[in-house]
Structure formats: C-alpha cells, structure tokens
Amino acid sequence: MKRIILVGLLAALVVSLCGCFLDPAEYLYEIPKQPEDYYELQSAIEKAMPEGASYSPPTAGDNQQAVQLADLDGDGEDEAVVYLKTSGSSPLSVCVFGKRADKYALIAKIECAGSSFDHVEYVQIDGAAGYEMIFGRQISDQVTQTLSVYTMRGDTMQELLTANYSEFITTDLDADGNRDLVLLRADAEQLGVAEYYRWKDDQLLREREASMTTAVTAVKRIITGKMCEDFPAVFVASEFGEGTIVTDIFGLRNGDFVNLTRSEENATGVETVRDYYVYSTDIDADGLIELPRLIAMRELKDDETSKNRSLICWYNLLPDGTERVKCLTYHNYSAGWYLEIPQQWENTLAVSRVAVYGTELGYRFLLVGKDETAELFSIAAVGGDDAKKLLEQSGWQKLTEKGDMVYLCSLGDGAADIGFNFEALQRMFRFIRVDWKTGETD
C-alpha cells in the first residue's frame, strides 16, 4: 500500500536543510527558505479560495488538518486535499490540487451542504491504484451526519456513496484486501442499526443491516480486530443501563453481515470496575480481541475495603456462540496496573487495603478457604525516597518502577504453603495500557 502523508497546514511541505553548506558563516543565521512546492501550493490554494472562504479542518478522527496529502489517483505522487468553508446553500468545499507540468493546480472541487467536516479517511476500497476519500459532514446540531465516499477518475472526483450515519469505521471484514464500511445510525424507532458496505460488481454495495443492542447515542467505543482466528469483526461498546456496558460484535457469518452477540446465552455485557468501563481488548497480545466478564471476589469479614471487588474473565467469542476462556485478571484501574491471576484462585481470592508506610496504602491479596484465610502477598506503589526506606524493612522487594513510582511487594505466610514466590508475582504483574489519543484504558 502506498504511503499516505497527512500534514498540518502546508507544514509537511517544509523540508530540512540537511547536507547544505552555507558560506560565509553569517548565512547560518538566516531563516531557512521554504521549498518551491510550498509556495506553489500556497499560491494555488489562494487563487482557488472564494472571497470570504476559510479553512475548515475535520473535527474528529486522526486526520484533523485543513490541508492533507494523499495519493488519490495512484500515480505515486500525492494530491493536496484542502477543506474549506464559505457561505450559501453548499458552504463546505473539498478542493483537490494536483501537479500539472510540475506546478500545483486545482483539478477537482466538491461542494456540499453542512456546517463542518467531521471524520476523514483515505483508504483503498475498489482495489484500483490510489486511495478513496471518505468524509463525514455535520449537517445540523443533530446526531445524524452525512457521509460521502469519492474516488478519483482522471481529473474528476466520482461519488461512490452518500449515506446518513452517527458513527462509521473502515475495516476488511471479507478479507479481500479492500476496506469495507460499517455505518452506525438510528432507525425510525431510534434504535441502533449497523449497515455494511463493500466493493462488489464494480460498485460500493449496501449489504444487509444488523440491529444493535442499544441506541446509537449510547455508543462509547468502536474498535476492529479478530474475534477469533481468521474472523475479523467490529466491536461496538455501548452504555447499557446504569453502570453497565454491552458489546455488540458485527461480522460475516456464512457471508451474511450479522450481530454475532444477539443471543441470550452470549454474555457480552459487564458492569463497571471502580467507575472504569471494562472494554474488549487484546489482553494477551495474541492478535485476537477478548471480551471481559466480571467475577465477584471473596470478601473478608469486618473488612469494608474487601467488598465489591471483581476479577475479570477474558474470553474469545466463537462464531457458533461458544466461548474460549483466555485468562483471568485483577485490574487496579485507579493505580494503573493489573495482575494475571491463576485460574485456581478464581473462587477464593480476596483483596483489601493495607497500611504500608506512613500514610501510604497498599493492596493485600489473600486466599479465603472454608476454615482459614492465608495471606499471599501485598503490593504498594510509593515514591523513590519512601521506597528506599521501605526496602530497608524486612520482607519488601522491588517489583518494578515507572516514572517516579516504585512498585514493591511483600510475600505473606500463605505464599510458601502453595509454592508461590517472588518470580511468579513478577510474571503476573502488568501495567494497564492507556490509549494516547482517547485517554481510555485497556
């Protein structure tokens, strides 16, 4: 796949002066000159902009620049795509500039209604060289927006699709090498519906739609990935009642687009953990997306800090509706770490807070039996100076460190009884990943 370059307002056309020698020495203090391409494109844009027009960059997604570069015609050289806003009945404009005789010129212009551009992507849909352009437009202050798909044919932009949507994502559900479209929208009763579009018979065809479990306004997160081996899918997590989310999984079963979780025996909803939503993710880094299910932990008598805690059982959902359990974890979202828990501890593990050093608190893990409770280990995160003092006390060891925090552990009397040691705890300990774009945790 050819490279797509997305840039800020013309900034990516500025190149460094590596390898240039300036003589005499005072030239070293001159402001570097922009390359000719920069000025040519800037001049072409200024000539094409109507009076009163302004740049109107997309407001969502990864591509939020007013000027973007993408190879739309597949000739190996990028076109410049400029997003503008003017006035009138069709105030939004998409202007495409290409090089003709080594100079930038306006080669195509799309005018459309709307108040702003939403989400923009450049992907291969029809299998031909070059990228198709997908952009959404906010029409009013309503949830529904309008999506358009264009492809370049010669020096013209040909429309492949216009549809209403609330959310959209591109993926390759049929594994043919081209990107497909999945749109989420509301039906006449305001219930959520997913629509599937793919390239077939030389056109972008709308396949059957599938119902969501919730209204489209409840959607919290959308990701793509493999549900199980060789089974790509779209995972849509939505709020479902107070403190609960449900995950709809859309994919192809026997060639038909379906919601793979619309079955009473498929438990795809989970409650929150300490005010954090638990989303589907590739928890074990095997390339498959796992779904979470909460399992209530044991509680300690007369210890309020041990109540309302949960383990998370992670599993893959198979096309026939059965589940494949992958692992069990204890996620401490507030502290930013989690443990992979042995399956045999599932029905006996309890966690409580414990005083560690001064005002610092740690977490104590215990196995609760029928007749007795055995302390396995404690974990605490403390600052560097406090960590040094705590390590001087007997029994504490350093697990790892991150930034200014040192993560320490202390093994309890029950650890030796089951053959559990420091190295086993190190293998269990992980940091929770945080999406740098959304701030959400996995």
Side-chain angles (χ1 to χ4, degrees):
M1 180 177 285
K2 293 186 178 67
R3 172 174 64 98
I4 295 178
I5 307 175
L6 302 175
V7 297
L9 186 58
L10 303 177
L13 294 176
V14 180
V15 295
S16 67
L17 297 177
C18 295
C20 296
F21 296 91
L22 301 177
D23 189 38
E26 59 263 24
Y27 289 173
L28 294 173
Y29 300 98
E30 291 188 349
I31 298 175
K33 295 181 179 180
Q34 312 288 18
E36 288 301 317
D37 280 357
Y38 175 94
Y39 295 109
E40 290 173 4
L41 179 55
Q42 185 180 42
S43 176
I45 292 174
E46 290 173 351
K47 290 178 182 178
M49 288 181 70
E51 186 175 350
S54 60
Y55 292 106
S56 182
T59 59
D62 292 336
N63 308 323
Q64 296 187 29
Q65 304 85 13
V67 180
Q68 305 180 16
L69 299 182
D71 184 5
L72 301 180
D73 57 8
D75 66 353
E77 188 157 10
D78 294 316
E79 281 69 46
V81 184
V82 183
Y83 295 88
L84 302 174
K85 184 176 182 179
T86 56
S87 58
S89 59
S90 299
L92 298 180
S93 298
V94 181
C95 297
V96 180
F97 295 83
K99 275 197 170 183
R100 299 296 180 266
D102 293 327
K103 292 184 179 297
Y104 277 103
L106 178 66
I107 58 176
K109 186 176 183 180
I110 303 167
E111 296 180 316
C112 44
S115 58
S116 63
F117 290 104
D118 174 48
H119 182 183
V120 172
E121 287 193 27
Y122 306 92
V123 296
Q124 287 187 317
I125 290 178
D126 62 4
Y131 292 96
E132 277 63 57
M133 178 171 57
I134 306 171
F135 61 86
R137 292 171 281 135
Q138 187 74 46
I139 302 301
S140 64
D141 58 357
Q142 303 301 312
V143 173
T144 300
Q145 302 171 97
T146 298
L147 176 138
S148 298
V149 182
Y150 280 84
T151 188
M152 179 167 275
R153 298 285 186 263
D155 279 350
T156 62
M157 297 300 294
Q158 178 181 330
E159 187 177 68
L160 300 179
L161 174 69
T162 296
N164 292 330
Y165 78 102
S166 295
E167 305 279 353
F168 82 86
I169 195 166
T170 63
T171 186
D172 185 8
L173 290 183
D174 56 6
D176 66 350
N178 298 324
R179 302 294 281 185
D180 309 325
L181 268 172
V182 175
L183 309 186
L184 304 183
R185 63 168 180 82
D187 64 11
E189 285 75 36
Q190 298 303 306
L191 299 176
V193 173
E195 292 181 346
Y196 176 55
Y197 296 82
R198 60 176 160 179
W199 190 255
K200 190 176 181 181
D201 299 328
D202 294 326
Q203 56 186 317
L204 190 55
L205 287 179
R206 179 180 178 272
E207 303 282 348
R208 62 179 292 175
E209 64 185 38
S211 298
M212 295 173 55
T213 304
T214 65
V216 72
T217 53
V219 172
K220 302 289 290 184
R221 191 186 210 189
I222 308 173
I223 62 172
T224 62
K226 290 183 179 179
M227 187 177 75
C228 52
E229 289 82 359
D230 301 318
F231 204 105
V234 176
F235 299 76
V236 181
S238 306
E239 192 169 11
F240 187 69
E242 186 176 355
T244 303
I245 64 170
V246 65
T247 301
D248 289 315
I249 306 177
F250 298 100
L252 299 181
R253 178 188 285 153
N254 299 323
D256 293 328
F257 181 70
V258 297
N259 185 339
L260 296 155
T261 61
R262 291 303 296 269
S263 175
E264 293 301 323
E265 60 269 18
N266 293 340
T268 57
V270 297
E271 296 179 355
T272 56
V273 178
R274 291 186 172 273
D275 299 323
Y276 284 82
Y277 282 120
V278 183
Y279 293 105
S280 53
T281 189
D282 183 7
I283 189 69
D284 56 358
D286 67 347
L288 307 179
I289 301 296
E290 282 76 43
L291 293 166
R293 181 186 298 113
L294 299 194
I295 299 174
M297 299 181 70
R298 296 293 296 269
E299 297 180 357
L300 303 175
K301 186 179 179 180
D302 300 326
D303 188 340
E304 291 294 323
T305 68
S306 70
K307 295 182 178 180
N308 301 317
R309 296 187 180 276
S310 300
L311 296 174
I312 305 176
C313 175
W314 298 91
Y315 64 95
N316 294 135
L317 185 67
L318 304 183
D320 62 1
T322 58
E323 301 172 4
R324 179 187 296 143
V325 174
K326 302 295 285 296
C327 63
L328 189 69
T329 65
Y330 171 79
H331 268 62
N332 190 326
Y333 283 98
S334 60
W337 53 264
Y338 72 97
L339 298 174
E340 184 171 343
I341 302 297
Q343 293 288 338
Q344 61 267 30
W345 295 358
E346 177 178 329
N347 299 314
T348 59
L349 190 65
V351 176
S352 69
R353 299 304 304 268
V354 60
V356 174
Y357 178 79
T359 60
E360 299 288 344
L361 289 176
Y363 294 84
R364 185 176 54 154
F365 292 77
L366 311 96
L367 292 182
V368 181
K370 184 177 180 180
D371 300 318
E372 61 180 357
T373 297
E375 182 175 346
L376 290 177
F377 55 86
S378 296
I379 294 178
V382 296
D385 291 339
D386 288 341
K388 292 179 181 178
K389 295 176 182 178
L390 193 56
L391 285 171
E392 294 174 356
Q393 301 180 23
S394 61
W396 286 96
Q397 301 180 74
K398 177 180 172 182
L399 267 177
T400 186
E401 60 184 305
K402 185 178 182 180
D404 296 332
M405 301 304 295
V406 180
Y407 296 82
L408 307 176
C409 69
S410 174
L411 297 180
D413 294 338
D417 295 339
I418 62 171
F420 186 79
N421 57 28
F422 172 74
E423 288 73 21
L425 182 55
Q426 273 191 317
R427 291 191 295 269
M428 291 166 54
F429 188 89
R430 313 270 199 287
F431 287 113
I432 294 174
R433 294 173 297 180
V434 178
D435 189 296
W436 68 271
K437 292 181 290 187
T438 66
E440 295 175 339
T441 55
D442 289 337

